Amino acid sequence: SAFSGLVCDGGSRAQYRLIVGIVDLDGKGFVVTDGDDWASVPGIFAVGDVHAGSVKRVASAVGEGSVVISKVWEHVNAARNK
């Protein structure tokens, strides 16, 4: 399956026990991403409060989410077409 799950969480304190040991986290427990919102594992994106360097503001999280959704669809469609 091209899509197998979604984790939604927010807040200024990282509490992402579901992804510990799966993706790279910074010293504060936030997800490390590249410049395109990819986490260290292909197919995992992190935006908003969950990623390292986030400004922890709702407006920023909404904007990041609206941008990354096109990347998610590209990833899903590429996986379907393999």
Side-chain angles (χ1 to χ4, degrees), residues 11-75:
S12 59
R13 218 172 66 186
Q15 298 183 37
Y16 310 115
R17 292 180 286 283
L18 291 174
I19 56 175
V20 170
I22 297 173
V23 298
D24 293 340
L25 304 176
D26 71 2
K28 295 180 182 176
F30 293 97
V31 179
V32 176
T33 57
D34 66 9
D36 288 323
D37 303 316
W38 283 89
S40 56
V41 175
I44 297 180
F45 297 88
V47 296
D49 292 354
V50 302
H51 78 89
S54 166
V55 295
K56 311 296 183 263
R57 298 290 181 263
V58 171
S60 295
V62 169
E64 292 171 9
S66 68
V67 170
V68 81
I69 195 64
S70 63
K71 297 174 190 175
V72 171
W73 278 116
E74 286 174 15
H75 176 75

